[in-house]
Amino acid sequence: MAQNSRKPGYELVKGFFKENPVLVQLLGICSVLAVSNTVVNSISMGVSVLFVLFFSSLVIGLIKDLIPNEVRIPAYIVVIATFVTVADLFLKAKFPDISKALGAYIPLIVVNCIILARQEAFTKKNKLLPSILDAIGMGTGYIITILLMGIIREILGFGSIFGVKIFGSWFKPILVMILPPGAFLTLAMLIGFMNFITRKSEEKKL
Amino acid sequence: MKNEFRMVIVLTLIITIAGCLLAYTYVSTQDDIQRNLENSMRTALLSVVEGVESYENIALDEKTSVLKAKDSNGNVIGYGVMITGGGFQGDIKLMVGFDKDASAVLGIEVLENVETPGLGNRIIEDWFKKQFEGAIPPIEVLKGQKPQNRSQIEAITGATISSKSVANIVNNAHKALETYLGSGGGGESAGRGEEEILEYFEKRWPEKRLIKKGTYYVINDKSGQSISYGIFSEGVEGGDTVKIFMTVSKNFSKIEDIVIMNGSEVSVDKEKLDELQKRLIGESLPLSSSNVEVVTGATIIEDGVVSAVNKGFEALKKELK
Amino acid sequence: MNEKNLVLSVSPHIRSEESVKKVMWFTVLSLAFPAASAVYFFGLYPLLVMLVSAFTAVVAECILLKLRGRDVSQCLDGSAVVTGILLALTLPPRFPLWEAALGAAFAIVFAKQFFGGIGQNIFNPALVGRAFLMAAFPVDATTWSPTRFMSPDTFTGATPLANFKFEKVLTPYKDLFFGNVAGSMGETSALLIILGGLVLILKGYVDFRLPLSYIASVFCFGGIMWLINPSKYPDPLFHILAGGLMLGAFYMITDMVTSPITRKGRVIYGILGGFLVVLIRLFAGYPEGVMFSILIVNSIRPWIDRLTKPRVLGEV
């Protein structure tokens, strides 16, 4: 398989831009849309997803050969759900405000397509180290995207970053940005921009 | 065959290990989670009732809880009702403070809301919340006019629906609190509960008369003939005190009617209580627990009820035989 | 290939004197009627809003056309100007200029150019711009001003529709018809809008069936509800004179790109739209339903076109 001849470093960085799970693979979009209205929420969600993805890929990478093929999906889901629950309980205990802000979207990480997709598309077919790097890379790519969304939406919709107002009182927040329509608009612009850059770099290669 | 065996083993193993990990995480986080819940409730309660040293939390249903606010001597100084209701964009969660007579609102705090920022979201502003201090439910919402009396508040310009929603939720909180206290749940306001029970009986049988005779009651029909006896009674079981009022036939052979008074204080829901009450009507006295059909979900207090019934039965017999 | 020699277009292929440019600039002219009403009742500031909005729309279109590699001169065909002015007319009389500009840019960029430019948009761009502004600046978009004939002290800050919905107060028909009421700068005067609309109908740019079926539908459904409970629901005359119905009927729902092709389709379109207006006005959280009703029927327009497609001769 061609993948075996790729450098391990590639498996790590491909998730940042080239195969960015949200902007290129269009996975995990609903969590990005739902909780990216402030930078704090975005980072919390991003870190949670990275946590789950990392440990899921690690565990599944370790035991993948032991699981009969017919039951691999339930097995993967149990592993993923376990780590999501751990993350959820941890947030509820140590960061109750964030837990409240993210609400139901933390448990929903279980069905975040990115995590199961990476297991199916990569972890189960590759060795452990590339799988771990893949997980870290995809998770980081997710964080980059949702963080970008969070920054744009919080600046335009609240006039602040991390809850700190950065404009003076003259600033009139564009409220729609922190509401769902704003999320869709921002994500659309980001995806469009990503496509634009990709096309330009392909044209340059020719 | 071997493959299926393997599937079962593997899945069982995975689930077991996952279960252990989760159990461990759950146990180690429960303290913090409970503490956070307590803190948020306490903070919310403190913001609406002053001088609260301790409180007791009674959940009425999944959307409403009554918190009995007590001072350092354990006296009830007010009530906080945590209640969720519908707003314009979504649910609004409030903590409504009431004075100890449950007649006026002490203040409100908006715990959760998803109303439009700049419009409905303005319900969190101080001037809007302040309007509820001292307000007397049922509260009416005026638009564009200053409130004329203690039962009116002014709506936020451009956010009438959100303002009205908050008033509705406050009114509902008041109703819930009154219902709770009225069914004898107040404990300290037990006297009130007794009056209400007696009112209830008189409403139910307008042609009968309840006459108090010291520790018991005589029920007379229109012509003055005594037809049955009534008594308040208490039974203790497993730390819970169950208070009842029951009426028995003149020959002390069976229960004619029974009301379990502090039903909302015990952890049994109202339907089960009603069912238990219904089952007991017509039962022969004295009650033995084996004769009483178990009502699932009410077993906790059934023994207490049986004990209360029998105590009342004994007391009546002593007075009258 | 020399672009000028071969022109590809969708059927029907009809040669006529008309062109997009002509139609659009004539429409701009007809907009002078509601524009005049805006100035008459609310002063010169509305004119400024209209100019800023139209200007921004044209600039936005130029920029987008350039980015898309298309013929930039298309931005002067008048369609952006129409969108800009129409958007302004749906805004409150004292709406901040930069916000109006933002709305106009949004309308052109997102609702028109991103869909492929003129003729390709699904939704009425002016109304999309209005919807965006309502979500972005809900306070400004619902802050109304008194007309110059009203005394500022007694002004309650509410439109006739809001007054009825939340206060149960009715406004006199005379004011509703001539325009001495609070509302968006262009929507208040039923009289002037009808005049502008008539101009468009007589010139043949607007099929009378559209505004007629839309208004009649509102009248009927509103009337039914009123008959059911006259104290709770307003009468049908109030429905057609109050709010943005007139403006929507003659200028919004009639937009050539987003309205059905067939005559039967247009009638159905109007009826559906009218039903939605009454539904939203009476049962939803907003006092006004015209904007949403049109945006919603915009979305099902292709389906209506397919439904009412005339049968080909001989087709079984």
Side-chain angles (χ1 to χ4, degrees):
Chain A
M1 272 197 292
Q3 280 169 333
N4 286 334
S5 58
R6 295 212 290 231
K7 295 207 296 214
Y10 177 74
E11 304 302 347
L12 179 65
V13 295
K14 70 178 193 269
F16 295 179
F17 294 109
K18 200 126 179 268
E19 291 182 35
N20 183 301
V22 182
L23 297 179
V24 177
Q25 298 184 57
L26 299 182
L27 297 172
I29 293 189
C30 72
S31 60
V32 170
L33 290 172
V35 298
S36 58
N37 52 1
T38 63
V39 174
V40 172
N41 289 351
S42 296
I43 293 184
S44 314
M45 188 61 170
V47 170
S48 307
V49 168
L50 177 59
F51 168 81
V52 174
L53 186 52
F54 177 77
F55 281 102
S56 302
S57 289
L58 176 63
V59 170
I60 293 176
L62 285 171
I63 65 175
K64 66 173 158 59
D65 295 319
L66 302 170
I67 307 176
N69 199 39
E70 293 86 340
V71 294
R72 72 180 191 284
I73 299 286
Y76 295 171
I77 296 279
V78 170
V79 173
I80 297 173
T82 306
F83 288 114
V84 170
T85 312
V86 168
D88 185 29
L89 287 172
F90 176 75
L91 281 176
K92 279 204 174 94
K94 299 293 178 199
F95 299 99
D97 295 326
I98 293 183
S99 171
K100 252 223 215 129
L102 296 181
Y105 285 95
I106 292 287
L108 282 177
I109 295 179
V110 178
V111 293
N112 185 323
C113 320
I114 299 178
I115 309 193
L116 192 59
R118 287 335 284 166
Q119 311 313 321
E120 270 292 280
F122 198 88
T123 313
K124 79 166 192 224
K125 309 186 205 169
N126 286 281
K127 297 220 181 37
L128 184 60
L129 181 61
S131 300
I132 296 181
L133 292 175
D134 172 270
I136 299 179
M138 289 291 160
T140 312
Y142 179 86
I143 294 183
I144 293 176
T145 313
I146 196 173
L147 184 57
L148 210 52
M149 289 272 294
I151 292 176
I152 295 176
R153 290 179 72 194
E154 190 176 347
I155 290 184
L156 289 178
F158 280 117
S160 62
I161 296 191
F162 282 110
V164 177
K165 297 248 185 270
I166 56 172
F167 296 123
S169 51
W170 56 266
F171 179 74
K172 192 77 168 290
I174 304 177
L175 276 164
V176 69
M177 296 311 285
I178 53 180
L179 299 172
F184 279 96
L185 290 170
T186 313
L187 187 60
M189 296 298 282
L190 283 179
I191 296 179
F193 189 62
M194 191 69 171
N195 285 348
F196 180 70
I197 300 183
T198 315
R199 204 152 32 102
K200 275 283 176 298
S201 72
E202 311 250 298
E203 283 171 16
K204 254 202 238 152
K205 280 200 200 135
L206 291 174
Chain B
M1 193 52 219
K2 186 153 185 253
N3 200 24
E4 280 150 17
F5 188 61
R6 189 155 169 213
M7 286 196 269
V8 171
I9 294 282
V10 169
L11 279 179
T12 310
L13 257 170
I14 294 180
I15 291 172
T16 313
I17 299 178
C20 292
L21 177 59
L22 283 174
Y24 172 72
T25 316
Y26 183 77
V27 166
S28 26
T29 54
Q30 267 321 287
D31 290 333
D32 280 335
I33 292 180
Q34 277 306 105
R35 200 160 16 97
N36 289 335
L37 222 57
E38 298 267 331
N39 276 345
S40 62
M41 242 199 242
R42 170 178 287 268
T43 323
L45 183 60
L46 275 172
S47 63
V48 292
V49 181
E50 285 192 21
V52 179
E53 285 298 322
S54 66
Y55 69 90
E56 206 182 310
N57 179 10
I58 300 119
L60 296 183
D61 59 44
E62 62 211 11
K63 293 200 166 198
T64 327
S65 298
V66 170
L67 285 80
K68 274 196 228 173
K70 302 188 183 148
D71 63 16
S72 42
N73 295 327
N75 299 325
V76 175
I77 51 173
Y79 298 92
V81 179
M82 198 155 81
I83 181 170
T84 310
F88 178 58
Q89 293 269 65
D91 281 343
I92 300 179
K93 191 170 183 186
L94 298 179
M95 174 70 86
V96 188
F98 291 97
D99 61 12
K100 64 175 178 333
D101 303 314
S103 57
V105 178
L106 290 174
I108 67 166
E109 190 58 51
V110 179
L111 300 175
E112 283 171 21
N113 88 86
V114 285
E115 306 299 282
T116 320
L119 286 174
N121 189 238
R122 293 184 68 198
I123 54 176
I124 61 174
E125 288 176 11
D126 285 331
W127 70 268
F128 181 75
K129 292 190 293 189
K130 242 190 157 55
Q131 294 188 95
F132 289 90
E133 288 174 18
I136 300 179
I139 298 176
E140 191 195 331
V141 177
L142 300 177
K143 197 167 178 250
Q145 291 171 14
K146 290 283 170 242
Q148 309 287 329
N149 59 48
R150 296 228 134 260
S151 285
Q152 293 175 340
I153 61 143
E154 193 184 349
I156 299 170
T157 341
T160 328
I161 297 185
S162 300
S163 311
K164 283 198 176 156
S165 303
V166 172
N168 276 346
I169 298 174
V170 171
N171 292 337
N172 288 343
H174 183 241
K175 269 190 241 157
L177 182 61
E178 282 199 314
T179 316
Y180 166 72
L181 291 174
S183 60
E188 287 77 12
S189 41
R192 217 162 149 235
E194 290 184 17
E195 280 168 39
E196 302 228 4
I197 297 292
L198 298 174
E199 255 183 65
Y200 152 78
F201 267 95
E202 291 190 357
K203 254 193 239 152
R204 198 154 141 184
W205 299 298
E207 72 278 16
K208 301 192 186 164
R209 277 263 128 99
L210 264 179
I211 302 173
K212 187 162 176 154
K213 293 244 188 230
T215 54
Y216 66 98
Y217 294 80
V218 177
I219 294 135
N220 289 345
D221 64 13
K222 265 200 295 212
S223 54
Q225 284 269 347
S226 59
I227 43 177
S228 54
Y229 297 105
I231 191 165
F232 284 97
S233 175
E234 271 183 31
V236 185
E237 200 59 41
D240 278 333
T241 310
V242 184
K243 279 183 79 152
I244 61 162
F245 180 80
M246 70 174 178
T247 60
V248 308
S249 59
K250 255 188 97 171
N251 54 6
F252 298 109
S253 64
K254 57 185 168 89
I255 302 176
E256 286 203 342
D257 205 340
I258 178 170
V259 176
I260 301 173
M261 288 171 60
N262 55 337
S264 34
E265 248 185 7
V266 298
S267 42
V268 173
D269 62 27
K270 197 161 181 311
E271 273 176 45
K272 303 281 163 63
L273 270 186
D274 287 343
E275 218 193 306
L276 180 58
Q277 281 171 188
K278 275 206 204 92
R279 293 250 180 104
L280 289 171
I281 294 176
E283 285 289 326
S284 42
L285 291 168
L287 272 187
S288 86
S289 348
S290 48
N291 281 352
V292 180
E293 232 180 282
V294 168
V295 173
T296 354
T299 10
I300 307 174
I301 63 157
E302 254 178 35
D303 288 339
V305 172
V306 168
S307 150
V309 166
N310 288 337
K311 265 190 144 169
F313 171 63
E314 294 297 319
L316 271 179
K317 266 195 359 194
K318 235 180 18 175
E319 291 281 350
L320 294 163
K321 278 261 173 83
Chain C
M1 274 289 194
N2 190 341
E3 259 191 28
K4 298 265 197 306
N5 286 342
L6 284 177
V7 176
L8 286 172
S9 76
V10 193
S11 65
H13 302 290
I14 302 176
R15 301 209 75 168
S16 89
E17 293 286 307
E18 303 296 356
S19 70
V20 174
K21 239 184 162 147
K22 255 190 169 189
V23 173
M24 286 302 147
W25 285 108
F26 186 85
T27 310
V28 173
L29 236 49
S30 79
L31 280 169
F33 284 94
S37 131
V39 173
Y40 180 68
F41 284 108
F42 297 108
L44 282 177
Y45 181 78
L47 193 59
L48 202 51
V49 180
M50 286 185 249
L51 284 171
V52 165
S53 178
F55 180 73
T56 318
V58 172
V59 168
E61 183 141 87
C62 280
I63 297 178
L64 260 293
L65 284 169
K66 185 88 203 288
L67 283 176
R68 290 174 59 214
R70 300 273 198 271
D71 174 19
V72 183
S73 64
Q74 241 190 11
C75 68
L76 297 173
D77 65 9
S79 58
V81 178
V82 170
T83 302
I85 298 182
L86 267 180
L87 171 64
L89 290 176
T90 64
L91 299 173
R94 292 276 171 277
F95 199 72
L97 290 177
W98 76 272
E99 294 176 11
L102 187 63
F106 183 87
I108 294 294
V109 172
F110 279 86
K112 195 171 166 200
Q113 286 301 321
F114 275 4
F115 279 87
I118 185 152
Q120 315 279 21
N121 48 295
I122 303 179
F123 296 101
N124 185 313
L127 285 180
V128 172
R130 168 88 171 117
F132 171 76
L133 287 176
M134 268 193 74
F137 309 108
V139 183
D140 288 336
T142 50
T143 305
W144 312 104
S145 319
T147 65
R148 84 162 121 115
F149 302 106
M150 294 170 147
S151 91
D153 309 319
T154 55
F155 181 62
T156 58
T159 61
L161 278 176
N163 259 333
F164 185 85
K165 185 154 188 162
F166 300 124
E167 301 300 315
K168 301 282 185 264
V169 167
L170 272 179
T171 325
Y173 295 127
K174 187 180 74 152
D175 290 334
L176 289 172
F177 184 68
F178 287 108
N180 189 21
V181 291
S184 317
M185 53 175 98
E187 78 179 16
T188 58
S189 175
L191 172 65
L192 285 171
I193 296 173
I194 294 177
L195 286 176
L198 275 175
V199 165
L200 284 172
I201 294 178
L202 289 172
K203 182 78 167 133
Y205 290 159
V206 160
D207 183 350
F208 73 93
R209 289 174 186 81
L210 260 177
L212 185 62
S213 60
Y214 192 43
I215 296 176
S217 171
V218 172
F219 191 87
C220 288
F221 287 110
I224 294 174
M225 294 315 299
W226 176 69
L227 286 173
I228 292 178
N229 190 343
S231 52
K232 196 163 177 203
Y233 304 121
D235 60 273
L237 192 57
F238 179 79
H239 267 303
I240 62 177
L241 289 178
L245 184 67
M246 284 295 168
L247 190 64
F250 289 101
Y251 286 99
M252 304 284 192
I253 201 172
T254 53
D255 172 47
M256 289 178 181
V257 177
T258 57
S259 52
I261 301 178
T262 61
R263 297 197 198 129
K264 202 165 30 161
R266 289 176 183 154
V267 173
I268 300 177
Y269 205 57
I271 295 177
L272 278 173
F275 172 73
L276 285 169
V277 170
V278 175
L279 189 68
I280 299 176
R281 277 184 180 177
L282 297 184
F283 300 108
Y286 295 96
E288 177 56 280
V290 172
M291 173 179 79
F292 289 118
S293 73
I294 298 180
L295 286 173
I296 293 175
V297 291
N298 278 166
S299 67
I300 59 172
R301 198 259 317 155
W303 178 64
I304 293 184
D305 272 341
R306 227 170 342 129
L307 267 182
T308 56
K309 202 165 69 169
R311 272 216 277 150
V312 173
L313 182 62
E315 181 181 307
V316 174

